[in-house]
Amino acid sequence: MDNPEKVGSGSLIVKSNYLVNAEYRLTPIEMKIIYLMAMQVRKGDEDFKTYQLRIKDFQEDLGLKDNHALYERMIEIVKRLMTRVVQIRHDNGNVEQFPFITWSMHKHKEGTIGIIFVPKLKPHMIDLKERFTSFYDYNVLSLRSQYSMRIYELIKQYERIGKRTIAVADLRRMLRLQDKYRSYNMFKKKVIEQAKKDLDKNCDVSFEFTERKQGRKITEIDFIIKKKRLPKQIKSNTMRKEGIKDVILAFEELGLSQKQADYYLNDEGREPEYLMELIEETKKGYKTGRVKNPSAYLVSLIERNANTKTEKQILKEKEEQINEAFKNAEVERREKETAMIESWREEYEEERDSRGEKLLSNASGREIDTFRGYVKNNPYLRKKLLLENNLNTGHKEFAFWFKNFLLPEYESDFIQWIHVNKGFSIVARNGEYHITGKQESLF
């Protein structure tokens, strides 16, 4: 029986494309249960096992601090999941229907749930040779919307192609949203645009999208798929996990046990990369005949090198020290840059306010009429500043809004002001200003 897998540990999830494109609707927690089970399916497995989940991994999702309440809630959630049906359409027109899970055991003392997939899922999750989609668990477990999770899978399937066109009706059917968000604008906002935000923030792929119409009705969506670099920490964790697997396999090849590998990796904290270097040295010696007993030689090599570092480790530590120095220098530079821009902003806002007062006092009748038209078309301002269809010039906020109407747009004006008065070029990026250059002379 497998031990529970750590959430977001960098495990690969593999699903057939039929299952990716299937029709079903689960809650975010139900989706998480399926993902946590799927990431325990191993390459080479011939059948499903009983997959163990930690109940505490759902504590944050459910917002329950009381362990008993959490345990009882999870019993109800898994019971409901047993009633969920997935529908798969095959190329020949056949339609399959079956539940996701068939059995569960909740162990109160251990704080775990043992669950088994229904056997009909086997061809869609075990020993897949073609027509499958794979992705790392942290991409989906960081998402909070079940629709974002599903759209991630649909996008990931076409990652290599770079584009996927889906009919709106088909997407609704896959997500079982035929009777929800009936207005396309609401469907776009709650499903498509929300998924775009979530994938932009959390996943290794994201997308832009365009809409296709038939007449006045939007019938298809073109997803333009964008690959993204993995965050450094996630990538590092994933590589370490793969390295651990390599070490365990190599130990077994040399006649050592997984328990011995675990001891050096976990109890003594040896890095997989370091152990693989010693393993390669052992294999090389065995091939040349210098090493007669590879398992004993490897153990002695590990023990003998317990307090020494390999050349790669020394170089890696130096690289980390250099990177840390650069990082600290960048933080210091950014702090100085921010302080400088903030001092400029204070000076600019004083000048802008003075300029606005002059514009306000010299406003022409034409400018007042234009502002009245602007207010009429703005529901928020219309309630505040219109009185019997005329501007309420006595309102306490009238001067503020009229002054900002007369002044240029803030961001572009601020950037131009700095360029003219301070000799620096700046850009706005992700809500912050950054200096990009300096003029050689202001004259």
Side-chain angles (χ1 to χ4, degrees), residues 408-423:
E409 187 269 331
Y410 184 98
E411 186 174 283
S412 58
D413 190 47
F414 179 47
I415 290 172
Q416 179 64 19
W417 183 88
I418 288 178
H419 183 72
V420 171
N421 293 278
K422 302 299 177 181

Side-chain angles (χ1 to χ4, degrees), residues 62-270:
L62 295 171
L64 295 173
K65 294 182 179 180
D66 180 72
N67 288 335
H68 178 73
L70 178 65
Y71 180 83
E72 292 298 322
R73 183 79 178 106
M74 286 305 297
I75 290 176
E76 292 303 313
I77 288 171
V78 174
K79 181 180 178 182
R80 184 181 64 201
L81 178 55
M82 284 183 168
T83 68
R84 305 295 197 197
V85 172
V86 56
Q87 181 167 291
I88 295 177
R89 294 177 184 269
H90 293 272
D91 294 340
N92 60 7
N94 293 345
V95 176
E96 252 188 304
Q97 294 178 323
F98 47 82
F100 283 94
I101 63 175
T102 185
W103 176 91
S104 71
M105 171 67 78
H106 301 254
K107 296 183 178 180
H108 189 71
K109 289 184 179 180
E110 290 86 345
T112 62
I113 314 168
I115 310 179
I116 299 177
F117 278 124
V118 69
K120 288 292 182 183
L121 271 173
K122 185 176 174 180
H124 301 290
M125 299 184 74
I126 286 184
D127 196 30
L128 299 173
K129 298 288 194 300
E130 59 181 5
R131 294 188 179 185
F132 64 85
T133 299
S134 60
F135 49 89
Y136 284 104
D137 61 343
Y138 46 75
N139 286 291
V140 286
L141 293 178
S142 59
L143 303 176
R144 292 290 177 264
S145 163
Q146 63 268 49
Y147 309 127
S148 297
M149 295 173 188
R150 291 295 310 281
I151 287 177
Y152 170 80
E153 293 185 26
L154 293 168
I155 294 301
K156 189 70 175 177
Q157 183 188 344
Y158 278 65
E159 180 182 11
R160 291 185 181 180
I161 298 172
K163 181 180 178 181
R164 179 167 193 174
T165 300
I166 307 178
V168 173
D170 289 342
L171 185 57
R172 282 185 177 275
R173 182 166 44 78
M174 291 174 190
L175 304 181
R176 292 275 172 89
L177 287 176
Q178 296 95 324
D179 297 321
K180 191 174 182 181
Y181 307 136
R182 292 192 175 185
S183 155
Y184 174 76
N185 285 336
M186 185 60 70
F187 176 77
K188 178 168 75 170
K189 179 181 178 181
K190 295 290 187 180
V191 179
I192 309 298
E193 291 179 345
Q194 184 60 51
K196 185 182 182 309
K197 289 179 186 176
D198 291 343
L199 271 61
D200 277 339
K201 183 179 179 182
N202 298 290
C203 303
D204 59 4
V205 293
S206 185
F207 64 89
E208 300 292 340
F209 69 97
T210 57
E211 299 159 334
R212 297 189 187 188
K213 291 183 177 181
Q214 283 188 2
R216 299 175 66 181
K217 184 179 180 182
I218 295 168
T219 56
E220 291 181 320
I221 301 172
D222 287 330
F223 293 91
I224 296 87
I225 301 163
K226 304 185 297 181
K227 295 182 182 180
K228 292 163 56 187
R229 288 186 178 182
L230 291 174
K232 190 173 181 180
Q233 186 60 43
I234 290 175
K235 191 173 183 179
S236 174
N237 291 342
T238 302
M239 290 174 67
R240 189 177 193 281
K241 186 178 179 65
E242 295 301 319
I244 288 171
K245 291 178 182 178
D246 292 340
V247 169
I248 292 171
L249 286 173
F251 263 56
E252 291 174 345
E253 286 176 10
L254 294 173
L256 297 168
S257 67
Q258 181 177 336
K259 187 176 180 181
Q260 286 172 290
D262 287 339
Y263 170 75
Y264 289 119
L265 287 163
N266 300 319
D267 295 355
E268 293 203 353
R270 306 292 177 88

Side-chain angles (χ1 to χ4, degrees), residues 383-440:
K383 290 180 181 179
K384 284 178 173 286
L385 304 182
L386 275 191
L387 185 64
E388 295 180 355
N389 209 35
N390 290 313
L391 286 172
N392 182 8
T393 56
H395 193 281
K396 61 182 180 179
E397 294 183 18
F398 174 80
F400 170 81
W401 287 108
F402 189 29
K403 183 166 61 176
N404 278 281
F405 175 77
L406 295 170
L407 286 164
E409 187 269 331
Y410 184 98
E411 186 174 283
S412 58
D413 190 47
F414 179 47
I415 290 172
Q416 179 64 19
W417 183 88
I418 288 178
H419 183 72
V420 171
N421 293 278
K422 302 299 177 181
F424 284 85
S425 297
I426 70 169
V427 295
R429 190 185 303 132
N430 298 324
E432 296 180 340
Y433 291 103
H434 298 263
I435 296 174
T436 59
K438 182 180 180 181
Q439 294 173 250
E440 291 185 6

Side-chain angles (χ1 to χ4, degrees), residues 262-384:
D262 287 339
Y263 170 75
Y264 289 119
L265 287 163
N266 300 319
D267 295 355
E268 293 203 353
R270 306 292 177 88
E271 286 298 319
E273 183 182 8
Y274 167 74
L275 291 175
M276 286 305 297
E277 286 184 39
L278 300 183
I279 289 166
E280 289 305 315
E281 183 179 329
T282 301
K283 287 181 176 180
K284 188 176 180 180
Y286 183 66
K287 284 180 181 179
T288 60
R290 181 171 55 84
V291 174
K292 304 300 181 184
N293 186 335
S295 58
Y297 181 82
L298 177 60
V299 170
S300 67
L301 199 60
I302 295 171
E303 297 296 339
R304 189 166 68 246
N305 286 274
N307 296 314
T308 62
K309 296 177 181 178
T310 65
E311 186 178 345
K312 283 187 177 179
Q313 283 180 305
I314 294 169
L315 289 172
K316 184 179 179 182
E317 286 182 4
K318 286 183 178 178
E319 184 182 346
E320 287 174 350
Q321 289 171 1
I322 292 170
N323 288 338
E324 185 65 24
F326 274 116
K327 182 180 177 182
N328 291 337
E330 173 59 21
V331 169
E332 186 178 350
R333 184 202 67 78
R334 179 60 185 149
E335 286 175 350
K336 289 180 179 178
E337 180 185 68
T338 301
M340 187 184 298
I341 292 173
E342 283 305 308
S343 69
W344 291 342
R345 188 203 293 272
E346 290 178 9
E347 188 179 340
Y348 162 75
E349 288 183 350
E350 284 184 16
E351 190 274 338
R352 179 182 171 91
D353 190 58
S354 175
R355 192 170 12 132
E357 291 296 334
K358 289 179 182 177
L359 290 171
L360 195 62
S361 61
N362 295 321
S364 66
R366 184 175 180 180
E367 286 172 326
I368 293 173
D369 287 340
T370 304
F371 180 59
R372 181 169 54 215
Y374 171 74
V375 170
K376 283 183 178 179
N377 291 321
N378 187 310
Y380 177 76
L381 292 182
R382 190 165 60 234
K383 290 180 181 179
K384 284 178 173 286

